[in-house]
Amino acid sequence: MKQFGAFVKKEFFHILRDPRTVMLLLIMPVIQIILFGFALTNEVKNVNIAVFNSDLSIESRIITERLSAGESFQIKKYLHSHTEIPEVIEKGEVKLVIVFNKGFGSDLRHTGKASVNVIADASEPNLAQSALMYATNIIRASSQEFLKGGEVSSAPRVEPSLRLLYNPQLKSAYNFVPGVMGMILMLICAMMTSISIVREKETGTMELLLASPVKPFGIIIAKTIPYFVISVINIATILVLSIYLLNVPISGSLFWLLFISFLFVLVSLSVGMLISTLVDSQVAAMLISGMVFMMPVILLSGMIYPVENMPKILQVIAQIIPAKWFIAGARKLMIQGVDVVYALREIAVLTFMLILFFGLTIKNFKYRLD
Amino acid sequence: MYPVEVVGLNKSYGKVRALNGLNFSVNPGEIFGIIGPDGSGKSTLFRILTTLLLPDSGVALVDGFDTIKDYKKIRNRIGYMPGRFSLYKDLTVEENLKLFATVFNSDIKQNYYLIEPIYKQLEPFSGRRAGNLSGGMKQKLALSCALIHKPSVLFLDEPTTGVDPVSRKEFWEILSTLSKEGITIVVSTPYMDEASLCTRVALMLKGRILKSDTPADIVKSYTRELYSVKSKNISGLLKDLKRVPEVKSVFAFGEHLHLSLDPGTITLDKINEIIIKQGYRDVYINKIFPTIEDTYMLFSEEDFKNGR
């Protein structure tokens, strides 16, 4: 135990004597959150829209007028046929097309029910979602006014039927918070840990320690502790920033969000330890953790592109990426705010991965040089 | 019981035979030198003895413990200084020493008397990071770290390589003090002149031991007559002497040539005559006693002739 303490102390010395790296590790999440946060502003202002009105009733005209009345939308084009709809969206002239089908006005008057088609270009999902919300609100508000005569029902009867192009799930704008967490924790825990263990092999200190009575596995566990501490600090930084800077509240249980985060930290640390047992040079450790673990985290974990939209083969590969499960679980617990039972599958998979990677590390661990 | 005993040790890396049937044993309290050029298998031998590598076949015992089965027991009682500087460069001198004391379940005070003569010199720099020490200082620190738990056997792999002559001399003085404390020392070196400082030496070449004996007896096994030749044009003389059929070998040895002859084949006067005839002036020839290096050259030459 005294030995273990001495090694943990030594690891902190290593890290603290390289202040540039410490700063980088601690500031990185701040920069990422701010960058993503400002890149993803969701203010709807002067969004270009097109209207295809084949109904030409008073109601549809009033709604069209209302849409263009505020600062949110600007009607750029009035369309005359269905075939023009994909054209204007593909050209990027408009973000939204509002379609009133024939009979909209009379349906509304006689049955109290009518539908408006709203077609959105969701290649910019956050903008599309906000624009849709604005449009929906305007349509609902106006149609409620028509019914104020009170004869049919008090409930709004115009149901906008939405059709999203390119990104049907329309992921939440704040999905990137769990994503940034997943990426940074993987970077610190897997990459930094594996590099720091392999460095001991490269500089020959591992040779010296192996020839001593120290339990070599203890040395490796001691290596993970400072990175665990840095990870905890980073989790706190990211959560505080997302609550107070981005106004993304933790809608679920903080306890379970922290639980799944720590679980993921442990999985990442075991990935780092596993890599260190497989390679002998820092460059190799960096390449493996970078290419095999980091790149997929960014591309396949659903942080940028939704997993469901990927080709089948990539979806299968994505399943074995720990960050994918963490991000999915953290989204549920943080953004959707659902009960922990809905994240049990993610927790189970991460626990399984932790046991698997840790087991492989122990199995691969060498008590000699060859 | 020998502190180190090696029987029929073999180790290959792919097709390269690093160790080829080694046999030797080290007596308690002696300084046992393993002498050989780079690539002769010294480091591989050290790594097997320190339980870091497994031999392909053969047995290596340290303090009577098998390096394969009882590796944990061996790791408790040996001190090891690898061939290159392997301490933490970003830790200070004192932090390194403390860490390694803890590693061996010891502390600095317990065996301070052992490292005192070495550590005294390091003390003014105790707050300096190990990476910023000079070459000689680094080796002294590494030795202190390897000694801090008073090991029964100390393995030093080329401790004086890349160290200045003054520090080298000091280092060997320290080793002789340690051996008087009863610590068995196995030390490797590529410098032949350091061989005479050992109690016994093993001459290694291409994974085999050519000869293992005391430095004095090794020199005695030199069967030829050896002469030192000095002249103005050393390189020309070297070429010309090589052409004389009776001359067994000529090597440049600093400012001299070392010339060996089989006893009774040619007289010194005859050699002198040949040299003068070829126009060399101011030639001095003296019969000399062979050094370890001369003997090593002879053995490796015979080894080569035996087609190995």
Side-chain angles (χ1 to χ4, degrees), chain A residues 177-179 181 185 235-236 238-240 242-243 248-265 326-340 343 347 350:
Chain A
V177 174
M181 264 167 96
L185 294 180
I235 291 172
I238 292 173
L239 291 183
V240 167
S242 72
I243 294 169
V248 187
I250 297 169
S251 27
S253 139
L254 178 64
F255 172 81
W256 286 108
L257 178 62
L258 291 178
F259 176 85
I260 199 169
S261 304
F262 288 144
L263 182 61
F264 179 65
V265 166
F326 164 70
I327 294 173
R331 260 177 199 156
K332 287 182 183 172
L333 294 169
M334 183 178 177
I335 313 283
Q336 297 179 354
V338 293
D339 195 75
V340 68
I347 290 175
L350 286 173

Side-chain angles (χ1 to χ4, degrees), chain A residues 30 33-35 37-38 239-248:
Chain A
V30 179
I33 287 285
I34 292 174
L35 276 181
F38 284 108
L239 291 183
V240 167
L241 282 177
S242 72
I243 294 169
Y244 294 104
L245 188 77
L246 303 176
N247 298 318
V248 187

Side-chain angles (χ1 to χ4, degrees), chain A residues 55-194:
Chain A
D55 178 54
L56 299 174
S57 63
I58 299 182
E59 285 84 357
S60 60
R61 283 173 195 225
I62 290 175
I63 292 176
T64 309
E65 227 163 74
R66 289 272 164 84
L67 279 169
S68 61
E71 284 198 327
S72 309
F73 299 109
Q74 217 161 29
I75 299 177
K76 194 152 185 223
K77 230 175 183 175
Y78 290 93
L79 308 179
H80 303 290
S81 84
H82 270 287
T83 52
E84 284 178 86
I85 297 172
E87 219 172 274
V88 286
I89 288 185
E90 265 165 38
K91 279 188 188 154
E93 286 178 69
V94 298
K95 288 281 167 198
L96 231 54
V97 179
I98 317 280
V99 181
F100 297 97
N101 287 317
K102 225 180 190 98
F104 169 82
S106 64
D107 280 357
L108 190 64
R109 254 172 278 138
H110 295 117
T111 66
K113 263 185 182 175
S115 79
V116 182
N117 287 331
V118 183
I119 299 162
D121 171 4
S123 58
E124 285 174 66
N126 308 302
L127 179 67
Q129 195 190 33
S130 311
L132 272 177
M133 295 277 285
Y134 275 67
T136 312
N137 285 341
I138 293 171
I139 293 167
R140 279 206 177 126
S142 338
S143 55
Q144 222 158 359
E145 274 174 39
F146 305 142
L147 296 166
K148 271 218 172 122
E151 61 260 31
V152 185
S153 155
S154 57
R157 283 305 175 145
V158 174
E159 282 303 324
S161 86
L162 310 178
R163 202 174 126 223
L164 303 186
L165 302 178
Y166 311 128
N167 182 4
Q169 283 79 17
L170 198 71
K171 296 286 179 182
S172 157
Y174 297 114
N175 273 345
F176 76 91
V177 174
V180 167
M181 264 167 96
M183 195 175 77
I184 284 176
L185 294 180
M186 201 73 191
L187 178 83
I188 292 168
C189 298
M191 191 185 262
M192 298 305 289
T193 309
S194 63

Side-chain angles (χ1 to χ4, degrees), chain A residues 2-3 6-7 10 13-15 17 200-216 367-370, chain B residues 11 47 50-54 67-68 71 75-76 80 82 84-88 90-92 95 99-100 102-105 129:
Chain A
K2 198 186 155 203
Q3 283 183 353
F7 273 97
K10 161 188 130 356
F13 279 151
H14 285 322
I15 291 180
R17 282 178 192 176
E200 299 237 357
K201 288 193 195 176
E202 222 174 70
T203 57
T205 43
M206 192 56 97
E207 182 173 349
L208 209 53
L209 294 176
L210 281 178
S212 79
V214 188
K215 298 234 161 27
Y367 290 87
R368 297 175 200 269
L369 287 180
D370 61 352
Chain B
K11 174 79 185 173
R47 285 177 172 161
T50 52
T51 74
L52 293 171
L53 286 181
L54 293 173
T67 51
I68 302 170
Y71 74 95
R75 289 179 183 187
N76 266 310
Y80 173 44
R84 72 193 158 134
F85 183 67
S86 301
L87 298 178
Y88 294 100
D90 53 346
L91 296 188
T92 66
E95 284 162 355
L99 179 72
F100 281 96
T102 320
V103 162
F104 288 97
N105 298 309
R129 294 194 188 175

